[in-house]
Amino acid sequence: MKQIVLAIIKSLPICRIIGVRGFIRGLSILRSMSSLWLSMFGDQKYKHLDMLAVQDQYRGQGYVSKIMTPLLAECRMSNTLCTLETQTPSNLPIYEHYQFRTVKVIPLPNSTLEQYCMAFMPGVAE
């Protein structure tokens, strides 16, 4: 619980960008999300990409590539899965561009949102 409170305190400056309402909405979404779907990979090694966001004014400038290219190169070298979750359907083509595939869709309780669970599997359909 202490780590959760500390993470929230560290995240408060984001309120300047997304607003208090957006921050509270994000917290409620996080509470309803589950990473239990990762158990489908058993004991297989994986890296999990969490909380990737690019502000509107910086989109299209290659920031996602600066993260994805070395990350996925490392995954290829070590034959390690890379997983992520998004609740934004318009993000799916971005991740699909990097060969992530949707492996599960989970409806989020008390919401119209869905959690898209995606995985990059080195050597599969590359």
Side-chain angles (χ1 to χ4, degrees), residues 1 4 43-44 55 60 86 116 118 124:
M1 186 60 140
I4 292 171
D43 292 334
Q44 194 167 359
Q55 291 177 323
T86 184
Y116 299 90
M118 303 185 81
V124 177

mmCIF file of all heavy atoms in Angstrom, residues 1 4 43-44 55 60 86 116 118 124:
data_model
loop_
_atom_site.group_PDB
_atom_site.id
_atom_site.type_symbol
_atom_site.label_atom_id
_atom_site.label_comp_id
_atom_site.label_asym_id
_atom_site.label_seq_id
_atom_site.Cartn_x
_atom_site.Cartn_y
_atom_site.Cartn_z
ATOM 1 N N MET A 1 0.824 -1.189 0.000
ATOM 2 C CA MET A 1 0.000 0.000 0.000
ATOM 3 C C MET A 1 0.873 1.260 0.000
ATOM 4 O O MET A 1 0.564 2.231 -0.666
ATOM 5 C CB MET A 1 -0.928 -0.032 1.211
ATOM 6 C CG MET A 1 -1.914 1.080 1.218
ATOM 7 S SD MET A 1 -2.970 1.023 -0.236
ATOM 8 C CE MET A 1 -4.496 1.448 0.447
ATOM 9 N N ILE A 4 2.006 2.087 -3.460
ATOM 10 C CA ILE A 4 0.923 2.644 -4.274
ATOM 11 C C ILE A 4 0.752 4.128 -3.966
ATOM 12 O O ILE A 4 0.658 4.958 -4.867
ATOM 13 C CB ILE A 4 -0.398 1.875 -4.049
ATOM 14 C CG1 ILE A 4 -0.264 0.460 -4.620
ATOM 15 C CG2 ILE A 4 -1.579 2.606 -4.675
ATOM 16 C CD1 ILE A 4 -1.407 -0.461 -4.278
ATOM 17 N N ASP A 43 5.724 -19.857 -17.657
ATOM 18 C CA ASP A 43 7.011 -19.439 -17.100
ATOM 19 C C ASP A 43 7.898 -18.745 -18.122
ATOM 20 O O ASP A 43 9.065 -18.484 -17.847
ATOM 21 C CB ASP A 43 7.758 -20.656 -16.529
ATOM 22 C CG ASP A 43 7.066 -21.223 -15.302
ATOM 23 O OD1 ASP A 43 6.353 -20.462 -14.619
ATOM 24 O OD2 ASP A 43 7.231 -22.427 -15.026
ATOM 25 N N GLN A 44 7.363 -18.469 -19.295
ATOM 26 C CA GLN A 44 8.150 -17.828 -20.344
ATOM 27 C C GLN A 44 8.567 -16.421 -19.911
ATOM 28 O O GLN A 44 7.783 -15.674 -19.328
ATOM 29 C CB GLN A 44 7.318 -17.748 -21.627
ATOM 30 C CG GLN A 44 8.122 -17.428 -22.847
ATOM 31 C CD GLN A 44 7.319 -17.660 -24.126
ATOM 32 O OE1 GLN A 44 6.178 -18.075 -24.092
ATOM 33 N NE2 GLN A 44 7.932 -17.372 -25.246
ATOM 34 N N GLN A 55 2.367 13.125 -25.612
ATOM 35 C CA GLN A 55 1.460 14.270 -25.709
ATOM 36 C C GLN A 55 1.224 14.615 -27.175
ATOM 37 O O GLN A 55 2.099 14.417 -28.027
ATOM 38 C CB GLN A 55 2.042 15.477 -24.985
ATOM 39 C CG GLN A 55 2.080 15.326 -23.492
ATOM 40 C CD GLN A 55 2.735 16.534 -22.846
ATOM 41 O OE1 GLN A 55 3.686 17.102 -23.373
ATOM 42 N NE2 GLN A 55 2.218 16.921 -21.701
ATOM 43 N N GLY A 60 4.132 11.850 -33.780
ATOM 44 C CA GLY A 60 4.648 11.856 -35.144
ATOM 45 C C GLY A 60 6.101 12.290 -35.247
ATOM 46 O O GLY A 60 6.618 12.500 -36.348
ATOM 47 N N THR A 86 -3.448 -1.694 -23.548
ATOM 48 C CA THR A 86 -3.969 -0.367 -23.879
ATOM 49 C C THR A 86 -5.485 -0.409 -23.784
ATOM 50 O O THR A 86 -6.096 -1.453 -23.989
ATOM 51 C CB THR A 86 -3.497 0.106 -25.277
ATOM 52 O OG1 THR A 86 -3.964 1.451 -25.489
ATOM 53 C CG2 THR A 86 -4.017 -0.786 -26.391
ATOM 54 N N TYR A 116 -7.062 -4.018 -24.078
ATOM 55 C CA TYR A 116 -6.493 -4.795 -25.170
ATOM 56 C C TYR A 116 -5.128 -5.296 -24.711
ATOM 57 O O TYR A 116 -4.223 -4.509 -24.447
ATOM 58 C CB TYR A 116 -6.361 -3.944 -26.433
ATOM 59 C CG TYR A 116 -7.693 -3.436 -26.920
ATOM 60 C CD1 TYR A 116 -8.200 -2.220 -26.478
ATOM 61 C CD2 TYR A 116 -8.464 -4.193 -27.801
ATOM 62 C CE1 TYR A 116 -9.429 -1.761 -26.908
ATOM 63 C CE2 TYR A 116 -9.701 -3.745 -28.241
ATOM 64 C CZ TYR A 116 -10.175 -2.521 -27.786
ATOM 65 O OH TYR A 116 -11.408 -2.078 -28.212
ATOM 66 N N MET A 118 -1.770 -7.154 -25.496
ATOM 67 C CA MET A 118 -0.994 -7.377 -26.712
ATOM 68 C C MET A 118 0.367 -7.987 -26.382
ATOM 69 O O MET A 118 0.899 -7.758 -25.308
ATOM 70 C CB MET A 118 -0.815 -6.051 -27.458
ATOM 71 C CG MET A 118 -2.142 -5.379 -27.802
ATOM 72 S SD MET A 118 -1.931 -3.890 -28.794
ATOM 73 C CE MET A 118 -1.735 -4.631 -30.433
ATOM 74 N N VAL A 124 7.860 -14.772 -34.507
ATOM 75 C CA VAL A 124 6.521 -15.145 -34.962
ATOM 76 C C VAL A 124 6.010 -14.081 -35.920
ATOM 77 O O VAL A 124 5.850 -12.925 -35.539
ATOM 78 C CB VAL A 124 5.535 -15.298 -33.759
ATOM 79 C CG1 VAL A 124 4.137 -15.604 -34.253
ATOM 80 C CG2 VAL A 124 6.037 -16.361 -32.818
#
